[in-house]
Coordinates of all heavy atoms in Angstrom, one line a residue:
M283 N 12.4 -8.3 -9.2 CA 11.5 -7.7 -8.3 C 12.1 -6.3 -7.8 O 13.3 -6.2 -7.6 CB 11.4 -8.6 -7.1 CG 10.6 -9.8 -7.3 SD 9.2 -9.8 -6.2 CE 8.5 -11.3 -6.7
A284 N 11.3 -5.4 -7.7 CA 11.7 -4.1 -7.2 C 11.6 -4.0 -5.7 O 10.7 -4.7 -5.1 CB 10.8 -3.0 -7.8
N285 N 12.5 -3.3 -5.1 CA 12.4 -3.0 -3.6 C 12.1 -1.5 -3.4 O 12.6 -0.7 -4.1 CB 13.8 -3.3 -3.0 CG 14.1 -4.8 -3.1 OD1 13.5 -5.6 -2.3 ND2 15.0 -5.2 -4.0
G286 N 11.3 -1.3 -2.4 CA 10.9 0.1 -2.1 C 10.3 0.1 -0.7 O 10.4 -0.7 0.1
T287 N 9.5 1.2 -0.5 CA 8.8 1.4 0.8 C 7.4 1.7 0.6 O 6.9 2.4 -0.4 CB 9.4 2.7 1.4 OG1 10.8 2.5 1.5 CG2 8.8 3.0 2.8
I288 N 6.5 1.1 1.5 CA 5.1 1.4 1.6 C 4.9 2.3 2.8 O 5.4 2.0 3.9 CB 4.3 0.1 1.8 CG1 4.4 -0.9 0.6 CG2 2.8 0.5 1.9 CD1 3.8 -2.2 0.8
R289 N 4.2 3.4 2.6 CA 3.9 4.3 3.7 C 2.4 4.3 3.9 O 1.7 4.4 3.0 CB 4.4 5.7 3.4 CG 5.9 5.9 3.4 CD 6.2 7.4 3.3 NE 7.7 7.4 3.2 CZ 8.3 8.3 2.5 NH1 7.7 9.2 1.8 NH2 9.7 8.3 2.5
Y290 N 2.1 4.2 5.2 CA 0.7 4.1 5.5 C 0.2 5.4 6.2 O 1.0 6.0 7.1 CB 0.4 2.9 6.5 CG 0.7 1.6 5.9 CD1 1.9 1.0 6.2 CD2 -0.1 1.0 5.0 CE1 2.2 -0.3 5.7 CE2 0.2 -0.2 4.5 CZ 1.3 -0.9 4.8 OH 1.7 -2.1 4.3
W291 N -1.0 5.9 6.0 CA -1.4 7.1 6.6 C -2.8 6.8 7.3 O -3.6 6.0 6.9 CB -1.7 8.2 5.5 CG -0.4 8.5 4.8 CD1 0.1 8.1 3.6 CD2 0.6 9.4 5.4 NE1 1.3 8.6 3.4 CE2 1.7 9.4 4.4 CE3 0.7 10.2 6.5 CZ2 2.8 10.2 4.6 CZ3 1.9 10.9 6.7 CH2 2.9 10.9 5.7
A292 N -3.0 7.5 8.4 CA -4.2 7.5 9.2 C -4.7 6.1 9.5 O -3.9 5.4 10.2 CB -5.3 8.3 8.5
A293 N -5.9 5.8 9.1 CA -6.4 4.4 9.5 C -5.6 3.3 8.9 O -5.5 2.2 9.5 CB -7.9 4.3 9.0
A294 N -5.0 3.5 7.8 CA -4.1 2.5 7.2 C -2.9 2.2 8.1 O -2.5 1.1 8.3 CB -3.7 2.9 5.8
K295 N -2.4 3.3 8.7 CA -1.2 3.2 9.6 C -1.6 2.4 10.9 O -0.9 1.5 11.3 CB -0.7 4.6 10.0 CG 0.4 4.6 10.9 CD 0.8 6.0 11.2 CE 1.8 6.2 12.3 NZ 2.2 7.6 12.5
A296 N -2.8 2.7 11.4 CA -3.3 2.0 12.5 C -3.6 0.5 12.3 O -3.2 -0.4 13.0 CB -4.6 2.6 13.0
A297 N -4.1 0.2 11.1 CA -4.4 -1.2 10.7 C -3.1 -2.0 10.5 O -3.0 -3.1 10.8 CB -5.3 -1.2 9.5
A298 N -2.1 -1.3 9.9 CA -0.8 -2.0 9.6 C 0.0 -2.1 10.9 O 0.8 -3.0 10.9 CB -0.1 -1.2 8.5
G299 N -0.1 -1.2 11.8 CA 0.7 -1.2 13.0 C 2.0 -0.6 12.9 O 2.9 -0.7 13.8
V300 N 2.3 0.0 11.7 CA 3.6 0.6 11.4 C 3.3 1.8 10.5 O 2.3 1.8 9.7 CB 4.6 -0.3 10.7 CG1 5.0 -1.5 11.6 CG2 4.1 -0.9 9.4
A301 N 4.2 2.8 10.5 CA 4.1 3.9 9.6 C 4.6 3.6 8.2 O 4.1 4.1 7.2 CB 4.8 5.1 10.1
E302 N 5.6 2.7 8.1 CA 6.1 2.3 6.8 C 6.8 1.0 6.9 O 7.2 0.5 8.0 CB 7.0 3.4 6.2 CG 8.3 3.7 7.0 CD 9.1 4.7 6.3 OE1 8.6 5.8 5.9 OE2 10.3 4.5 6.2
E303 N 7.0 0.3 5.8 CA 7.7 -0.9 5.7 C 8.2 -1.2 4.3 O 7.7 -0.6 3.3 CB 6.7 -2.1 6.1 CG 5.5 -2.3 5.2 CD 4.5 -3.3 5.8 OE1 4.8 -3.9 6.9 OE2 3.4 -3.4 5.2
P304 N 9.1 -2.1 4.1 CA 9.6 -2.3 2.8 C 8.7 -3.2 1.9 O 7.9 -4.0 2.5 CB 11.0 -3.0 3.1 CG 10.8 -3.7 4.4 CD 9.9 -2.8 5.1
Y305 N 8.8 -3.1 0.6 CA 8.2 -4.0 -0.3 C 9.2 -4.6 -1.2 O 10.3 -4.0 -1.4 CB 7.1 -3.3 -1.1 CG 7.5 -2.4 -2.2 CD1 8.0 -2.8 -3.4 CD2 7.3 -1.0 -2.0 CE1 8.4 -2.0 -4.4 CE2 7.6 -0.1 -3.0 CZ 8.2 -0.6 -4.2 OH 8.6 0.3 -5.2
E306 N 8.9 -5.8 -1.6 CA 9.7 -6.5 -2.7 C 8.6 -7.1 -3.6 O 8.0 -8.1 -3.3 CB 10.6 -7.6 -2.1 CG 11.4 -8.2 -3.2 CD 12.4 -9.3 -2.6 OE1 12.8 -9.1 -1.4 OE2 12.6 -10.3 -3.2
A307 N 8.4 -6.4 -4.7 CA 7.3 -6.7 -5.6 C 7.4 -6.1 -7.0 O 8.1 -5.0 -7.1 CB 5.9 -6.3 -5.0
D308 N 6.8 -6.7 -8.0 CA 6.8 -6.1 -9.3 C 5.6 -5.1 -9.5 O 5.8 -4.1 -10.3 CB 6.8 -7.2 -10.4 CG 8.1 -7.9 -10.5 OD1 9.1 -7.3 -10.3 OD2 8.1 -9.2 -10.7
T309 N 4.5 -5.4 -8.9 CA 3.3 -4.6 -9.1 C 2.7 -4.1 -7.8 O 3.0 -4.7 -6.7 CB 2.2 -5.4 -9.8 OG1 1.7 -6.5 -9.0 CG2 2.7 -5.9 -11.2
L310 N 1.9 -3.2 -7.8 CA 1.2 -2.7 -6.6 C 0.4 -3.8 -6.0 O 0.3 -4.0 -4.8 CB 0.3 -1.5 -7.0 CG -0.6 -0.9 -5.8 CD1 0.3 -0.5 -4.7 CD2 -1.4 0.2 -6.4
A311 N -0.3 -4.6 -6.8 CA -1.1 -5.7 -6.3 C -0.3 -6.7 -5.5 O -0.6 -7.2 -4.4 CB -1.8 -6.5 -7.4
E312 N 0.9 -7.0 -6.0 CA 1.8 -7.9 -5.3 C 2.3 -7.3 -4.0 O 2.5 -8.0 -2.9 CB 3.1 -8.3 -6.1 CG 2.7 -9.1 -7.3 CD 3.9 -9.3 -8.3 OE1 5.0 -8.8 -8.0 OE2 3.7 -9.9 -9.3
A313 N 2.6 -6.0 -4.0 CA 3.1 -5.4 -2.8 C 2.0 -5.4 -1.7 O 2.3 -5.7 -0.5 CB 3.5 -3.9 -3.1
I314 N 0.8 -5.1 -2.0 CA -0.3 -5.0 -1.1 C -0.6 -6.4 -0.6 O -0.9 -6.6 0.6 CB -1.5 -4.3 -1.7 CG1 -1.2 -2.8 -2.0 CG2 -2.7 -4.4 -0.7 CD1 -0.7 -2.1 -0.8
A315 N -0.6 -7.4 -1.5 CA -0.9 -8.8 -1.1 C 0.2 -9.3 -0.1 O -0.1 -9.9 0.9 CB -0.9 -9.7 -2.3
G316 N 1.4 -8.9 -0.4 CA 2.5 -9.3 0.6 C 2.4 -8.6 1.9 O 2.6 -9.2 3.0
A317 N 2.0 -7.3 1.9 CA 1.8 -6.6 3.2 C 0.7 -7.2 4.0 O 0.7 -7.3 5.2 CB 1.5 -5.2 2.9
A318 N -0.4 -7.7 3.3 CA -1.6 -8.3 4.0 C -1.1 -9.6 4.7 O -1.8 -10.0 5.7 CB -2.7 -8.5 3.0
L319 N -0.1 -10.3 4.2 CA 0.3 -11.6 4.8 C 1.2 -11.4 6.0 O 1.6 -12.4 6.6 CB 1.0 -12.4 3.7 CG 0.1 -12.8 2.6 CD1 0.9 -13.6 1.5 CD2 -1.1 -13.7 3.1
R320 N 1.7 -10.2 6.3 CA 2.5 -10.0 7.5 C 1.9 -10.5 8.7 O 0.7 -10.3 8.9 CB 3.1 -8.6 7.5 CG 3.9 -8.2 6.3 CD 4.6 -6.9 6.6 NE 5.2 -6.5 5.4 CZ 6.5 -6.6 5.1 NH1 7.3 -7.1 6.0 NH2 7.0 -6.1 4.0
D321 N 2.7 -11.0 9.7 CA 2.2 -11.4 11.0 C 1.4 -10.3 11.7 O 1.8 -9.1 11.7 CB 3.3 -11.8 11.9 CG 3.9 -13.2 11.5 OD1 3.3 -13.9 10.8 OD2 5.1 -13.5 11.9
G322 N 0.3 -10.7 12.3 CA -0.5 -9.7 13.1 C -1.5 -9.0 12.3 O -2.3 -8.2 12.9
R323 N -1.5 -9.1 11.0 CA -2.5 -8.4 10.2 C -3.8 -9.2 10.1 O -3.8 -10.4 9.8 CB -1.9 -8.1 8.8 CG -0.6 -7.4 8.8 CD -0.8 -5.9 8.5 NE 0.4 -5.1 8.8 CZ 1.3 -4.8 8.0 NH1 1.3 -5.1 6.8 NH2 2.3 -4.0 8.4
D324 N -4.9 -8.6 10.2 CA -6.2 -9.3 10.1 C -7.1 -8.7 9.1 O -6.6 -7.9 8.2 CB -6.9 -9.3 11.5 CG -7.1 -7.9 12.0 OD1 -7.0 -6.9 11.3 OD2 -7.4 -7.7 13.2
G325 N -8.4 -9.0 9.2 CA -9.3 -8.5 8.2 C -9.5 -7.0 8.2 O -9.8 -6.4 7.2
D326 N -9.1 -6.3 9.3 CA -9.2 -4.9 9.4 C -8.2 -4.2 8.4 O -8.6 -3.3 7.7 CB -8.9 -4.4 10.8 CG -9.2 -2.9 11.0 OD1 -10.2 -2.4 10.4 OD2 -8.4 -2.2 11.6
F327 N -7.0 -4.8 8.3 CA -6.1 -4.3 7.4 C -6.6 -4.4 6.0 O -6.5 -3.4 5.2 CB -4.7 -5.0 7.5 CG -3.7 -4.6 6.5 CD1 -2.9 -3.5 6.8 CD2 -3.5 -5.3 5.4 CE1 -2.0 -3.1 5.9 CE2 -2.5 -4.9 4.4 CZ -1.7 -3.8 4.7
R328 N -7.1 -5.5 5.6 CA -7.6 -5.7 4.2 C -8.8 -4.7 4.0 O -8.9 -4.2 2.8 CB -8.1 -7.1 4.0 CG -7.0 -8.1 4.0 CD -7.5 -9.5 3.8 NE -6.5 -10.5 4.0 CZ -5.6 -11.0 3.1 NH1 -5.7 -10.5 1.9 NH2 -4.8 -11.9 3.4
R329 N -9.7 -4.6 4.9 CA -10.8 -3.7 4.7 C -10.4 -2.2 4.5 O -10.9 -1.5 3.6 CB -11.8 -3.7 5.9 CG -12.7 -5.0 5.9 CD -13.7 -4.9 6.9 NE -13.2 -4.9 8.3 CZ -12.8 -6.0 9.0 NH1 -12.9 -7.2 8.4 NH2 -12.3 -5.9 10.2
V330 N -9.4 -1.8 5.3 CA -8.9 -0.4 5.1 C -8.2 -0.2 3.7 O -8.5 0.7 3.0 CB -7.9 0.0 6.2 CG1 -7.2 1.3 6.0 CG2 -8.7 0.1 7.6
V331 N -7.4 -1.2 3.4 CA -6.6 -1.1 2.1 C -7.6 -1.2 0.9 O -7.4 -0.5 -0.1 CB -5.6 -2.2 2.0 CG1 -5.0 -2.3 0.7 CG2 -4.5 -2.0 3.1
E332 N -8.6 -2.0 1.0 CA -9.6 -2.0 -0.1 C -10.3 -0.7 -0.4 O -10.7 -0.5 -1.5 CB -10.6 -3.1 0.2 CG -10.1 -4.5 0.0 CD -11.1 -5.6 0.5 OE1 -12.2 -5.3 0.9 OE2 -10.8 -6.8 0.4
R333 N -10.4 0.1 0.6 CA -11.1 1.4 0.5 C -10.1 2.5 0.2 O -10.5 3.7 0.0 CB -11.9 1.8 1.8 CG -13.0 0.8 2.0 CD -13.9 1.3 3.2 NE -13.2 2.2 4.2 CZ -12.9 1.8 5.4 NH1 -13.1 0.6 5.9 NH2 -12.3 2.7 6.2
S334 N -8.8 2.2 0.2 CA -7.8 3.3 0.1 C -7.5 3.7 -1.3 O -7.7 2.9 -2.2 CB -6.5 2.8 0.8 OG -6.7 2.7 2.2
S335 N -6.9 4.8 -1.4 CA -6.3 5.3 -2.6 C -4.8 5.1 -2.5 O -4.2 5.1 -1.4 CB -6.6 6.8 -2.8 OG -8.0 7.0 -2.9
F336 N -4.1 5.1 -3.7 CA -2.7 4.9 -3.7 C -1.9 5.9 -4.5 O -2.4 6.4 -5.6 CB -2.4 3.5 -4.2 CG -3.0 2.4 -3.4 CD1 -4.3 2.0 -3.7 CD2 -2.3 1.8 -2.3 CE1 -4.8 0.9 -2.9 CE2 -2.8 0.8 -1.6 CZ -4.1 0.4 -1.9
L337 N -0.8 6.3 -4.1 CA 0.2 7.1 -4.9 C 1.4 6.2 -5.0 O 1.8 5.5 -4.1 CB 0.6 8.3 -4.1 CG -0.5 9.3 -3.7 CD1 0.1 10.5 -3.0 CD2 -1.2 9.9 -5.0
V338 N 2.0 6.3 -6.2 CA 3.3 5.6 -6.4 C 4.3 6.7 -6.9 O 4.1 7.3 -7.9 CB 3.2 4.5 -7.5 CG1 4.6 3.9 -7.8 CG2 2.3 3.4 -7.0
D339 N 5.2 6.9 -6.0 CA 6.2 8.1 -6.2 C 5.5 9.4 -6.5 O 5.8 10.2 -7.4 CB 7.2 7.8 -7.4 CG 8.2 6.8 -6.9 OD1 8.4 6.5 -5.7 OD2 8.9 6.2 -7.8
G340 N 4.4 9.6 -5.8 CA 3.6 10.8 -5.8 C 2.6 10.9 -6.9 O 1.8 11.8 -7.0
D341 N 2.5 9.9 -7.8 CA 1.5 9.9 -8.9 C 0.3 9.0 -8.5 O 0.5 7.9 -8.0 CB 2.1 9.3 -10.1 CG 3.2 10.1 -10.7 OD1 3.1 11.4 -10.6 OD2 4.2 9.6 -11.3
P342 N -0.9 9.6 -8.6 CA -2.1 8.8 -8.2 C -2.3 7.6 -9.1 O -2.1 7.6 -10.3 CB -3.2 9.8 -8.5 CG -2.6 11.1 -8.7 CD -1.2 10.9 -9.1
V343 N -2.7 6.5 -8.5 CA -3.0 5.2 -9.2 C -4.4 5.4 -9.8 O -4.6 4.8 -10.9 CB -2.9 4.0 -8.3 CG1 -3.4 2.8 -8.9 CG2 -1.5 3.8 -7.8
G344 N -5.3 6.0 -9.2 CA -6.6 6.2 -9.7 C -7.4 4.9 -9.8 O -7.3 4.0 -8.9
T345 N -8.0 4.7 -10.9 CA -8.9 3.5 -11.1 C -8.1 2.4 -11.8 O -8.7 1.3 -12.1 CB -10.1 3.8 -11.9 OG1 -9.8 4.4 -13.2 CG2 -11.0 4.8 -11.1
R346 N -6.8 2.6 -12.1 CA -6.1 1.5 -12.8 C -6.0 0.2 -11.9 O -6.0 0.3 -10.7 CB -4.6 1.9 -13.0 CG -4.5 3.0 -14.1 CD -3.0 3.4 -14.3 NE -2.6 4.2 -13.2 CZ -1.3 4.3 -12.9 NH1 -0.3 3.8 -13.7 NH2 -0.9 5.1 -11.9
A347 N -6.1 -0.9 -12.6 CA -6.0 -2.2 -11.9 C -4.6 -2.3 -11.2 O -3.6 -2.0 -11.8 CB -6.2 -3.3 -12.9
H348 N -4.6 -2.7 -10.0 CA -3.4 -2.7 -9.2 C -2.4 -3.7 -9.8 O -1.2 -3.5 -9.6 CB -3.7 -3.1 -7.7 CG -4.5 -2.0 -7.1 ND1 -5.0 -2.1 -5.8 CD2 -4.8 -0.7 -7.5 CE1 -5.6 -1.0 -5.5 NE2 -5.6 -0.1 -6.5
D349 N -2.8 -4.7 -10.5 CA -1.8 -5.6 -11.1 C -1.2 -5.1 -12.4 O -0.3 -5.6 -12.9 CB -2.5 -7.0 -11.3 CG -3.6 -7.0 -12.3 OD1 -4.1 -5.9 -12.7 OD2 -4.1 -8.1 -12.6
S350 N -1.7 -3.9 -12.8 CA -1.1 -3.3 -14.0 C -0.2 -2.1 -13.6 O 0.4 -1.6 -14.5 CB -2.2 -2.8 -14.9 OG -2.9 -1.6 -14.4
V351 N -0.1 -1.9 -12.3 CA 0.8 -0.7 -11.9 C 2.2 -1.3 -11.5 O 2.3 -1.9 -10.5 CB 0.1 0.0 -10.7 CG1 1.0 1.1 -10.2 CG2 -1.2 0.5 -11.0
T352 N 3.1 -1.0 -12.3 CA 4.5 -1.5 -12.1 C 5.2 -0.6 -11.1 O 5.1 0.6 -11.2 CB 5.3 -1.5 -13.4 OG1 4.6 -2.3 -14.4 CG2 6.6 -2.1 -13.2
L353 N 5.9 -1.3 -10.1 CA 6.6 -0.5 -9.1 C 8.0 -0.4 -9.5 O 8.7 -1.3 -9.9 CB 6.5 -1.2 -7.8 CG 5.0 -1.4 -7.2 CD1 5.1 -2.2 -5.9 CD2 4.4 0.0 -7.0
P354 N 8.6 0.8 -9.3 CA 10.0 1.1 -9.6 C 10.9 0.7 -8.5 O 10.5 0.6 -7.3 CB 10.0 2.6 -9.8 CG 8.9 3.1 -8.8 CD 7.9 2.0 -8.9
E355 N 12.1 0.4 -8.8 CA 13.1 0.2 -7.8 C 13.3 1.4 -7.0 O 13.4 2.5 -7.5 CB 14.5 -0.2 -8.5 CG 15.6 -0.5 -7.5 CD 15.4 -1.7 -6.6 OE1 14.7 -2.7 -7.1 OE2 15.8 -1.7 -5.5
G356 N 13.3 1.3 -5.6 CA 13.4 2.4 -4.7 C 12.2 3.3 -4.6 O 12.2 4.4 -4.1
G357 N 11.0 2.8 -5.2 CA 9.8 3.6 -5.2 C 9.2 3.7 -3.8 O 9.5 2.9 -2.9
V358 N 8.2 4.6 -3.7 CA 7.4 4.8 -2.5 C 5.9 4.7 -2.9 O 5.5 5.4 -3.7 CB 7.7 6.2 -1.9 CG1 6.8 6.4 -0.7 CG2 9.2 6.3 -1.5
V359 N 5.3 3.7 -2.2 CA 3.8 3.5 -2.3 C 3.2 4.2 -1.1 O 3.6 3.8 0.0 CB 3.5 2.0 -2.4 CG1 2.0 1.8 -2.4 CG2 4.1 1.4 -3.7
E360 N 2.2 5.1 -1.3 CA 1.5 5.7 -0.2 C 0.1 5.2 -0.2 O -0.6 5.1 -1.2 CB 1.6 7.2 -0.3 CG 3.0 7.7 -0.5 CD 3.3 8.9 0.2 OE1 2.8 9.2 1.3 OE2 4.2 9.7 -0.3
V361 N -0.3 4.7 1.0 CA -1.7 4.1 1.2 C -2.5 5.2 1.9 O -2.2 5.5 3.1 CB -1.6 2.8 2.0 CG1 -3.0 2.2 2.1 CG2 -0.7 1.8 1.3
L362 N -3.5 5.7 1.2 CA -4.3 6.9 1.8 C -5.8 6.4 2.0 O -6.5 6.3 1.0 CB -4.3 8.0 0.8 CG -2.9 8.5 0.4 CD1 -3.0 9.4 -0.8 CD2 -2.2 9.2 1.6
P363 N -6.1 6.1 3.2 CA -7.5 5.7 3.4 C -8.5 6.9 3.2 O -8.0 8.1 3.2 CB -7.6 5.3 4.9 CG -6.4 6.0 5.5 CD -5.4 6.2 4.4
P364 N -9.8 6.7 3.1 CA -10.7 7.8 3.0 C -10.6 8.7 4.3 O -10.5 8.2 5.3 CB -12.1 7.1 2.9 CG -11.8 5.7 2.5 CD -10.4 5.4 3.0
F365 N -10.6 9.9 4.0 CA -10.6 10.9 5.2 C -12.0 11.5 5.4 O -12.7 11.6 4.5 CB -9.6 12.0 4.9 CG -8.2 11.6 4.8 CD1 -7.6 11.3 3.5 CD2 -7.4 11.4 5.9 CE1 -6.3 10.8 3.4 CE2 -6.1 11.0 5.8 CZ -5.6 10.7 4.6
A366 N -12.3 11.7 6.7 CA -13.5 12.3 7.0 C -13.5 13.8 6.7 O -12.4 14.4 6.5 CB -13.8 12.2 8.5
G367 N -14.6 14.4 6.5 CA -14.7 15.8 6.2 C -15.4 16.1 4.9 O -15.8 15.2 4.2
G368 N -15.5 17.3 4.6 CA -16.2 17.7 3.4 C -15.5 18.6 2.5 O -14.6 18.7 2.0

């Protein structure tokens, strides 16, 4: 398993209750599932994350299945919810 950091932005940060936290996971899907199980997280966290975009070490995940995105040791996952504006 790889260890790294998940960083939350905007509404994702509010839903998570923290700006960042560690992950221990092999894939993006595992990291997000683990984050959803943390104490105090409710359906709002899941709803925000489901609508979010992700970067792994600065590279966009895009439409790839999250269980196919391998996380590197020491990597940074950024959770970017949809932003308002045009």
Side-chain angles (χ1 to χ4, degrees):
M283 291 236 177
N285 293 287
T287 303
I288 301 174
R289 289 189 184 143
Y290 300 102
W291 298 98
K295 180 178 172 182
V300 296
E302 64 181 48
E303 63 189 355
Y305 71 74
E306 183 177 327
D308 289 322
T309 67
L310 178 58
E312 290 173 5
I314 296 304
L319 295 175
R320 294 192 191 259
D321 287 340
R323 305 257 165 96
D324 58 14
D326 188 42
F327 178 82
R328 290 180 193 272
R329 281 188 295 279
V330 169
V331 169
E332 286 174 359
R333 295 187 336 250
S334 294
S335 298
F336 299 89
L337 302 176
V338 176
D339 285 345
D341 294 326
V343 170
T345 60
R346 290 182 286 161
H348 295 169
D349 60 354
S350 72
V351 179
T352 303
L353 298 178
E355 180 65 32
V358 176
V359 172
E360 308 221 31
V361 182
L362 307 167
F365 294 94

